[in-house]
Amino acid sequence: MTAPAQPAEELAPVRASWQPTPAHTRATVAGFAMVVFGVLVRRPELLVLGTPLFLVSLWSFVTRPDRDPVVAAGPRHLTLREGQGTRWVAQVQPGPGVEDVGLALMGTPHTDFEPATRAVSAASDGVGPVTAAVACRSNRWGRRQLGPAVLSVSAAFGGYRWAPDVVDSRPVTTVPLPDTFSARVPVPRPDGLVGQNRSHHAGDGGEFADIRQFRFGDRLRRVHWPVSIRTGQLHVTSTYADQDSEVVLLVDAMHDIGTSEGAGGRSSSLDNAVRAAGAIAEHYLRTGDRVGLRVLGARGVPALDSAAGKNHLRRVLDTLARTTASKGTVADEKRLRGQLRHRVGTGALVVVLTPAISSEVLGHALALSRRGIPVIVIDTLPSELASPDLDVHLLDTVMPEADKHPQASLLAWRMRLLEREHEMRRAREAGVPIVPWSGPGTLDIVLRDLGRRSRAPRVVSR
C-alpha cells in the first residue's frame, strides 16, 4: 500500500480585529508630547525629533485598514505516513492597507520544519491573496498537533496589527510506515467463506485435490476426459476449497523499551511492534483475509474486531497511530487483565507482538496455545538492548535515572534479561514459537510448522 492519499483539508477560518501596536502608541504619545513641549518652551530640537514620529503615527492612523482580512489557517493534510510532510498554511485575503503577513509555529516533537526557525513572512500589495507556509515533516507515528501558531497581519509602518491570540489546529495523525513483509505460507486453519487460503476439505477452489467418479451436481467443466475415456465412466477433478482466515494482532503497549528516533533512526520496542503490526495487517488484508487488532495496556485505544478490506486497513493504521505506552500504574494493570479476557475464534491465528518484558502477556499467549489456537510471538525488543553486554550509555533508555547508579542498573537489567530468557524458553517448550521480527519471511517457517501441527491429533483444554 502506498502512502495514504488524503485530500487537502479545508483550512479553518480565523477571527480577530485590528489593534494599534505598542510602537504606534509610543510614537503617537512621544511625538505629540515632544512637539507640544518644544513649542511651549521654544526648543527646536524637540520639534525636530518629535515631528517625524507624530507624522508617521498620524499617517498610520489615516491609512489604517477599514475592514478585517479574510484568513484561513491550518495544516494541509491531517493524515500522513512516517517520513511524509505537509505544510502549515495561512491564506490571507488582505484588503487595502495591509503590507505584511507573518507566521510562526511552536515546536512539535518528532517533526522537522523548513525553515528551521519555524517562522516566515510574506509581503502584500493589499490586493491579491497572500500565502505564508511552513513545511512540516513528521518522523514518527502518532497523533500530534502541529503548532500552535502565531499569526500576524500588519498595516502600514506596523502601526496596526491584526493578530489572534493563538491559532490551534486539529491533530495530525501520522500512521506507521509498515516494514516490508510477505508470507508465502498460508495460515494453518482457514475458517471463513471466500479467500485465497487452501482449506483441508474439498470444495470450489483452484488447487487440485483428486480425480473421482462423476456425481450428481458436479459441473461438466470439471470432467476429466482422458480418465473418462480410458475407464468408460465419467470422472471429474476435485479441488480444495479456498477460504479466508482470521488473524488477530495483539500489540503489547505495557512497556516502551529503547530510544525512538523516528523514521531512519533507532527504534524502540513499541516502534517495532507498531510497524510490524501494520505490515502484517497490510499483507493479510491485501490477500482477502480478516484482521483484528487489540492494543494491550494502552488507554483510550479501541479494539478492532476482525474485518477485511482497504477501509479496515485504514482503521487499523489509525488505531496503531493512537497507541501510547502505559505508565505502569495499578489502573493500567487492571486494564491489561480486562483486555486479556477477549474472545478468540478457534480458527484464528493470533500474533502477539511484545518485548517479552511483561510476563502476563507471555502467559496469555501460552493459555491461548493450550486451547488449541495457533499462536506466534514476535519479539520486538531492540537487539542492542537484548544483549547482556549492554552499553552503559544505553541504560537511560531502559531505566530512568540509571546514570546515578550505572553499575547497579546494569546488573538489574541483566537479571531481568535472564528472567525474560527463562520465560521465553518455557513458552517455547510449551509449543509457542517466538521469533524476532526480520521483515519478509519472518513467519514462513513458523506457519509451516503450525500447519503440520494442525493436521496432527492434539489434546486441548476446555
Side-chain angles (χ1 to χ4, degrees), residues 11 72-77 80 84-91 101-108 111-122 130-138 145-152 167 169 172:
L11 302 181
R76 275 296 188 183
H77 302 85
L80 302 173
Q84 277 191 333
T86 185
R87 295 193 306 160
W88 210 104
V89 177
Q91 291 182 345
V101 176
L103 174 65
L105 263 67
M106 300 292 291
T108 304
T111 305
D112 295 335
F113 295 92
E114 179 63 34
T117 57
R118 305 184 302 277
V120 293
S121 62
V130 178
T131 300
V134 176
C136 311
R137 180 178 180 270
S138 182
Q145 185 180 35
L146 297 178
V150 177
L151 179 63
S152 175
V167 181
S169 63
V172 175

Side-chain angles (χ1 to χ4, degrees), residues 76-270:
R76 275 296 188 183
H77 302 85
L78 296 181
T79 302
L80 302 173
R81 285 274 189 149
E82 283 183 300
Q84 277 191 333
T86 185
R87 295 193 306 160
W88 210 104
V89 177
Q91 291 182 345
V92 181
Q93 187 64 40
V98 174
E99 289 190 353
D100 186 72
V101 176
L103 174 65
L105 263 67
M106 300 292 291
T108 304
H110 303 290
T111 305
D112 295 335
F113 295 92
E114 179 63 34
T117 57
R118 305 184 302 277
V120 293
S121 62
S124 171
D125 57 3
V127 179
V130 178
T131 300
V134 176
C136 311
R137 180 178 180 270
S138 182
N139 296 322
R140 187 177 185 264
W141 56 271
R143 186 176 172 85
R144 294 179 293 274
Q145 185 180 35
L146 297 178
V150 177
L151 179 63
S152 175
V153 181
S154 301
F157 297 106
Y160 285 81
R161 183 174 57 193
W162 186 95
D165 294 335
V166 173
V167 181
D168 291 320
S169 63
R170 287 183 291 174
V172 175
T173 301
T174 304
V175 300
L177 184 63
D179 291 334
T180 303
F181 173 77
S182 62
R184 292 171 292 180
V185 180
V187 176
R189 293 199 304 270
D191 188 20
L193 297 177
V194 178
Q196 300 183 16
N197 298 304
R198 198 201 78 174
S199 177
H200 296 311
H201 59 270
D204 289 335
E207 187 168 347
F208 174 79
D210 195 6
I211 298 178
R212 56 173 175 81
Q213 289 188 358
F214 180 86
R215 299 173 186 171
F216 179 76
D218 287 337
R219 299 181 180 181
L220 294 179
R221 64 182 178 88
R222 291 192 177 274
V223 174
H224 194 277
W225 292 109
V227 176
S228 300
I229 294 174
R230 186 172 66 250
T231 61
Q233 295 180 346
L234 284 178
H235 283 70
V236 296
T237 58
S238 63
T239 57
Y240 290 106
D242 291 336
Q243 294 179 319
D244 65 329
S245 57
E246 179 183 1
V247 180
V248 179
L249 303 176
L250 302 181
V251 178
D252 183 4
M254 287 298 295
H255 301 89
D256 188 12
I257 310 298
T259 302
S260 178
E261 297 180 348
R266 290 188 297 178
S267 301
S268 65
S269 62
L270 193 57

Side-chain angles (χ1 to χ4, degrees), residues 250-329:
L250 302 181
V251 178
D252 183 4
M254 287 298 295
H255 301 89
D256 188 12
I257 310 298
T259 302
S260 178
E261 297 180 348
R266 290 188 297 178
S267 301
S268 65
S269 62
L270 193 57
D271 286 341
N272 294 334
V274 167
R275 291 165 183 158
I280 295 174
E282 181 175 347
H283 169 75
Y284 284 109
L285 287 173
R286 273 186 169 184
T287 58
D289 295 325
R290 291 167 289 127
V291 175
L293 173 66
R294 282 176 172 81
V295 182
L296 304 178
R299 180 179 181 182
V301 180
L304 294 181
D305 295 332
S306 298
K310 294 183 178 180
N311 291 334
H312 186 65
L313 174 59
R314 192 170 300 280
R315 286 192 293 268
V316 169
L317 295 178
D318 183 72
T319 301
L320 290 173
R322 297 170 182 265
T323 301
T324 55
S326 68
K327 299 180 181 179
T329 61

